[in-house]
Amino acid sequence: MGNFQNDILSAHNEYRRKHGTGSLKWSSKLESKAQKWANQLAKKGYLQHEQQSEDGENIACLKGEELSGEKASAMWYDEIKDYNFNQQGFNSKTGHFTQLIWESSTELGVGKATASNGMQFVVARYFPPGNHIKKFADNVRPPGSFPSTNNNSNNNIRNNGNNNSSNNNRVSPRRNGNNGGGAATNKEGSQSNNEFKKNFLRSHNNYRKRHGSQPLKWNTKLEEKAREAAEDAAKTNTLRSVDMSNVGQNMAAMTGGELMGDKVSSMWYEEEEGYNYNSPGFSSSTGSFTQLVWKESRDIGIGRAFGSKGQTFVIALYQPPGNIRGQYEQNVSRPSGPVPTDQKQGCKCAIL
């Protein structure tokens, strides 16, 4: 295998050792899937998670300097600065970091591709996948933790694409009531679906107005697709990208309480504080915000579903899609006026 694969595996395992987490082993099967998606991203020209639920996924892009395996790993691990070990859970600003050191993940495969303009794309796939709601405390160990029993200390790449020994121990994605999210429930919650949609759309458009963006209009086709995706997320306890072309996407989940319409908007808009207007462009920590206020987006549809254990899953779809490379300056304007009144933090939320 090449230096890139060795470098990224070694860098991953060095970071994992800091947390007492067992080393990852290379998977040629994961590498093949990651490479195929990296090739697709190079053709698309922008970052997007693949619509799949079997593997965990980290993605990165860079232009102007070499995106080495060590550099990609450092970009993801650097999110540790924003992670709260005293209140474990998913956050869009730390999801790459938590997947990187997720203790239950044991295999890694990575692909890299370069677009015609020189933009480099790196896709990392992990199995079993990390960032499972309610499992952060068991899988995200603080720095300096004693080594875990998951002692895969050999850092050498292993070709296990045709080796069934590792596959025999794989756990299928969680899809039933005794093993994960269970069936979605059809309850509306304390906020009815109509109230939720009105609340969500009103708060969205209030934020957009602050950035000079026109109000979004409700799209029933987008709503239907978003609702189907939210119901699937509730059944599988997994948020994943919607398999639909030419749409922008924002996603959120919450455990331990109900996710109201305006709270969803505020969760995504809070990323605005980290956006660099002097150097406009995509960042995984601000992508939900930039899609929310994207000027060329005109239509929106949202779906909400409840898991059997009280989780709330929300998926929003936008057309035309936002977060298009090279179009940030004209679509994400600086704010004017005060931030609209919204509900503040205080819940354990997951955002992709």
Side-chain angles (χ1 to χ4, degrees):
M1 293 295 177
N3 291 333
F4 176 79
Q5 289 87 348
N6 278 301
D7 287 347
I8 200 165
L9 179 63
S10 297
H12 266 60
N13 287 334
E14 181 64 29
Y15 287 127
R16 289 169 68 89
R17 278 192 290 273
K18 292 183 178 181
H19 297 261
T21 303
S23 298
L24 297 168
K25 297 179 181 178
W26 193 261
S27 165
S28 59
K29 181 178 180 180
L30 293 176
E31 177 188 7
S32 177
K33 292 193 287 185
Q35 186 61 56
K36 288 180 180 179
W37 188 240
N39 293 340
Q40 288 297 313
L41 293 181
K43 292 179 181 179
K44 292 172 179 285
Y46 57 88
L47 287 175
Q48 181 182 26
H49 283 289
E50 186 174 8
Q51 194 272 323
Q52 57 87 33
S53 61
E54 291 184 352
D55 314 315
E57 181 177 82
N58 278 348
I59 53 179
C61 67
L62 186 66
K63 184 179 180 181
E65 64 177 281
E66 180 65 22
L67 184 52
S68 64
E70 183 178 356
K71 176 70 173 179
S73 301
M75 290 167 62
W76 297 328
Y77 185 81
D78 187 57
E79 295 178 357
I80 188 177
K81 67 181 183 297
D82 295 315
Y83 191 73
N84 185 355
F85 288 95
N86 295 319
Q87 189 177 4
Q88 297 265 23
F90 185 85
N91 186 290
S92 62
K93 295 181 179 180
T94 58
H96 298 101
F97 157 69
T98 51
Q99 172 59 86
L100 192 157
I101 68 163
W102 195 264
E103 184 169 359
S104 296
S105 295
T106 59
E107 299 178 24
L108 172 70
V110 183
K112 181 181 179 182
T114 304
S116 58
N117 66 352
M119 181 70 71
Q120 303 157 83
F121 294 88
V122 171
V123 176
R125 289 287 177 83
Y126 306 79
F127 191 89
N131 289 340
H132 280 288
I133 297 173
K134 293 187 177 181
K135 294 190 175 182
F136 280 80
D138 295 331
N139 285 279
V140 181
R141 299 155 62 89
S145 297
F146 287 106
S148 68
T149 56
N150 176 21
N151 247 340
N152 301 317
S153 58
N154 189 345
N155 285 351
N156 294 326
I157 292 178
R158 299 183 181 183
N159 186 335
N160 59 9
N162 298 315
N163 185 347
N164 292 326
S165 61
S166 62
N167 294 337
N168 291 336
N169 295 324
R170 288 189 172 184
V171 180
S172 299
R174 303 180 182 276
R175 296 185 182 276
N176 56 59
N178 295 324
N179 192 14
T185 65
N186 58 9
K187 71 173 184 177
E188 283 201 346
S190 61
Q191 190 176 59
S192 70
N193 287 333
N194 285 335
E195 291 174 338
F196 176 84
K197 290 189 294 184
K198 291 179 181 179
N199 193 281
F200 173 86
L201 185 60
R202 181 176 61 251
S203 57
H204 246 58
N205 286 334
N206 283 339
Y207 288 128
R208 289 174 61 84
K209 183 178 180 180
R210 187 174 185 241
H211 294 263
S213 301
Q214 293 297 313
L216 294 170
K217 297 180 180 179
W218 200 259
N219 184 307
T220 54
K221 291 184 178 179
L222 293 178
E223 177 188 8
E224 181 180 358
K225 191 69 175 180
R227 184 177 62 252
E228 292 175 356
E231 291 173 350
D232 180 69
K235 292 176 182 178
T236 61
N237 203 34
T238 303
L239 282 170
R240 56 187 179 184
S241 297
V242 178
D243 186 14
M244 184 177 182
S245 60
N246 197 35
V247 295
Q249 306 179 29
N250 275 342
M251 306 182 186
M254 177 177 169
T255 61
E258 187 176 347
L259 197 50
M260 303 296 187
D262 57 347
K263 182 177 287 292
V264 176
S265 298
S266 69
M267 284 164 55
W268 296 334
Y269 188 79
E270 282 168 358
E271 296 180 358
E272 191 267 343
E273 65 184 18
Y275 188 71
N276 186 353
Y277 293 96
N278 295 320
S279 181
F282 179 82
S283 168
S284 61
S285 62
T286 58
S288 299
F289 154 69
T290 50
Q291 173 58 86
L292 191 159
V293 302
W294 196 264
K295 288 187 175 180
E296 293 183 3
S297 294
R298 291 288 185 264
D299 292 356
I300 191 170
I302 189 169
R304 179 180 64 157
F306 298 93
S308 60
K309 298 181 180 180
Q311 314 98 312
T312 308
F313 296 87
V314 176
I315 294 178
L317 300 179
Y318 306 77
Q319 278 186 334
N323 290 335
I324 305 300
R325 181 173 53 84
Q327 299 182 19
Y328 281 80
E329 188 170 0
Q330 62 265 41
N331 279 282
V332 183
S333 298
R334 294 177 183 271
S336 61
V339 177
T341 302
D342 60 5
Q343 298 187 37
K344 296 301 180 181
Q345 297 181 2
C347 62
K348 295 181 180 179
C349 302
I351 313 172
L352 295 180

